[in-house]
Amino acid sequence: MSTSRTGPSPALRASELDRFSAYRAGEGGRRDAADEILDLSNNEVMISPLPAVAEALRRIGTDVNLYPDPTAHTLRLRLAEHFGAGAEETLVGPGSAGVLQQLLLVLCGAGDEVLYAWPGFDAYPLLIAVSGARGVPVPLTASGDHDLPRLLEKVNSRTRAVILCSPHNPTGSRITRPALRRFLDGLPSHVVAVLDQAYTEFDAEEDQRDLTPIRDYGNVVLLRTFSKAHGLAGLRVGYAFASAEIVHRARKTVIPFSITRTGERAAVASLQQQEALTARIATIRRLRGALEDDLGAEGLVPTPSAGNFVWLPLGPSSERFAASALEAGVRVRAYADMGVRISVGTEQAHRRVLLAARRHRSG
Ligand SMILES: Cc1ncc(COP(=O)(O)O)c(C=O)c1O
C-alpha cells in the first residue's frame, strides 16, 4: 500500500546535510564532442598518464572478481619511503576528498566546528556536514589569500579543525612556510590544521612539500593526491601525512576496499616516474606563465598562481566572462561576483580563452 506524504520523512533525522546540495563538479569533466567545447572548469590535467602508468594499466588483468588489499599496503610503504615519513604516519584513501572525510570523521562530530577559507574547494562544506560538525567559512582577503589572523580569531572551544589549502583552490595563492608557522604557533592544541596540498607539485617553492610541519606540530595533517600532477583523477587515490595517533584512528574510517587494485598499482607506478613527472610539471608551469602573461597583455591580470589554474578577480563581470568563454568554445568556472578560475590546458584552449578576454574587454 502506498501512502502519499508531505514534509520530511520520519525516518530521516534533521541533519547539517540538509543545508547543502549533493556535490557536483563544474561540468563533471564532460567533453562535449558535438560542439567541441574544451573544458577548463575542473582543474584536471589535460595530459594522459605518464608512460609507465599507461603500461601498468595495460598490464592489469581481468581479476576484478577479487577484492583489492584493503590496507593498500604497498602504496602506503612506497609513499612513506618516497617522502621520508614513517608508514605509521602515512594514510591512504579514495582520493584526497575521501581521506579528508576519514579525517573529519575522527576529528569532529555534532556540536563541533570546522573553519575553512571561502571561496574554497566545493566539497569542504559537505564533508564537514557529513561528520556532523558545523562548517564556519572565513572569507579570503581581497587579494585572494587566507585571512590567517581572522581564522585564528574564529577558533573557540568548539573548534576541532581548520582546513587550509595551499595552493588555494580557486585563487592559486600560497601560504608561505613562515606564515604557516605563525598560524600554527597561535593554534590551540585541541584544533587540528589540515593543510590541503592537492596542487602542491605545481608550486615552484620547494619547501612547500617538506614534512617539517608534521615533525614540529602534533596537530597538523598534510593532505595530497594523485589526481592533479599525476593525472590520475579517475582512479581515486589520495594520501596524507600526520602523527601516528591521527593516522591510526583515521585508518579505521576508510570504506573497506575503496582503493582499487588499479588505483594502487597506477599510483605506485606514477610515484616511480619522477623524471617524467618533473617534465610534465615544468610544461604545466610554462603554460600557466604564458596564460598569465597573455591575459595580462589583454588587460585582465590574474593573481599570482601556484596551482595548475589561474584566477581572474573579475567581480560582478565574472559570469559575463564565463559566457564569452563558452561562446569562444571553452568552459571556465565562474564564482558569482568574485572571479573566474581557468585551469591550465592546451595551447588551443588558451587561444580560446584569449579570444574571450578580448571580447570581454570590448563588450
Ligand atoms: C583543493 C582540492 N582538494 C581536494 C580535491 C579533490 O581531489 P581528489 O581527486 O584527490 O579527491 C580537489 C579537487 O578538485 C581540490 O581542488
Side-chain angles (χ1 to χ4, degrees), residues 98-99 101-103 105-106 248-256:
V99 177
Q101 178 163 316
Q102 286 179 247
L103 289 161
L105 287 172
V106 297
H248 179 70
R249 186 83 82 80
R251 288 183 71 200
K252 300 180 184 181
T253 61
V254 72
I255 295 177

Side-chain angles (χ1 to χ4, degrees), residues 95-97 121 124 165 169 196 198-199 225 227-228 236-237:
S96 59
F121 176 37
Y124 293 155
C165 182
N169 174 8
D196 186 339
Y199 301 96
T225 185
S227 295
K228 305 297 178 180
R236 315 304 307 129
V237 189

Side-chain angles (χ1 to χ4, degrees), residues 215-267:
R215 298 274 168 267
D216 296 348
Y217 302 87
N219 56 342
V220 177
V221 178
L222 303 176
L223 182 65
R224 299 190 185 168
T225 185
F226 281 91
S227 295
K228 305 297 178 180
H230 288 270
L232 299 180
L235 290 178
R236 315 304 307 129
V237 189
Y239 58 102
F241 299 111
S243 71
E245 216 180 350
I246 293 177
V247 168
H248 179 70
R249 186 83 82 80
R251 288 183 71 200
K252 300 180 184 181
T253 61
V254 72
I255 295 177
F257 311 114
S258 56
I259 306 145
T260 65
R261 193 170 7 256
T262 311
E264 184 178 12
R265 285 189 193 163

